[in-house]
Amino acid sequence: MPSHTVYLGLGANLGDRQTNLVQALQLLRARVEVEQVSSAYETAPVGYTAQPNFINIACRVSTELSPSELLHFVKQVEQRMGRLTTFRFGPRLIDVDILWYDGLTLDEPGLIIPHPRMAERAFVLVPLAEIAPDLRHPVLGKTTSELLQTVDGKGVWPAARGLKPAFQN
């Protein structure tokens, strides 16, 4: 079977956030090869703001799983780690999103690729641009670096320092 190049976004804002991300990467390795991982970024919550900050990363993986099989697998990883279904934009132990899959565009119930809001979210674009600055959005035709220039990055900081924004517009 052919191998597919996929970019995933991971985030956590409950418990030991960095440990949650490491554990998720370890569990993902059961069905995907993790090829590259971004730095960790502390990010302010979006949507529902009365919750702890997130730590977000992006990673490039290769897999033989189809998009729907991959979605099913990442949801299993989330459940295995104890993620509970709460409400949209609510707090979570772990969140794993399929951002990009082989340049494919797909719109099925429960699965849209590329991720429908990735181009609007600094917490996705900052770590993604670190590892894939020239990755081209298959619908918008812009690279990750170009998309990053269009969003407000005030709520994204390197997690190691936690004080300075990762970039300024």
Side-chain angles (χ1 to χ4, degrees):
M1 289 185 105
S3 185
H4 304 281
T5 299
V6 179
Y7 287 87
L8 301 175
L10 286 76
N13 77 334
L14 295 177
D16 184 335
R17 301 169 301 163
Q18 289 191 345
T19 297
N20 293 350
L21 294 171
V22 169
Q23 182 183 0
L25 288 170
Q26 290 170 339
L27 292 171
L28 286 167
R29 285 185 168 100
R31 300 293 306 272
V32 304
E33 181 180 337
V34 178
E35 298 176 337
Q36 189 175 14
V37 180
S38 72
S39 302
Y41 292 89
E42 183 100 14
T43 62
V46 172
Y48 176 68
T49 57
Q51 61 180 319
N53 285 349
F54 282 81
I55 293 183
N56 289 93
I57 61 172
C59 62
R60 183 182 70 230
V61 304
S62 61
T63 186
E64 293 181 357
L65 298 174
S66 70
S68 59
E69 291 169 334
L70 181 60
L71 177 65
H72 181 73
F73 173 63
V74 301
K75 294 304 171 196
Q76 286 179 323
V77 167
E78 291 176 347
Q79 289 174 351
R80 184 169 172 196
M81 289 185 61
R83 178 170 174 180
L84 302 174
T85 303
T86 57
F87 54 91
R88 187 171 172 87
F89 304 125
R92 58 204 77 157
L93 284 169
I94 191 68
D95 184 37
V96 182
D97 289 326
I98 301 170
L99 304 175
W100 189 93
Y101 184 106
D102 273 349
L104 179 70
T105 58
L106 183 67
D107 190 347
E108 296 178 350
L111 180 60
I112 300 173
I113 298 174
H115 191 284
R117 290 171 299 284
M118 75 180 248
E120 307 161 7
R121 294 179 166 172
F123 68 84
V124 171
L125 292 172
V126 170
L128 187 59
E130 178 187 321
I131 63 171
D134 298 322
L135 184 71
R136 193 163 298 280
H137 192 287
V139 175
L140 302 175
K142 294 184 178 183
T143 66
T144 308
S145 292
E146 291 168 336
L147 291 171
L148 184 57
Q149 299 305 311
T150 67
V151 297
D152 181 357
K154 291 183 194 134
V156 180
W157 305 266
R161 293 179 223 116
L163 298 173
K164 294 183 180 179
F167 71 97
Q168 305 268 340
N169 282 348

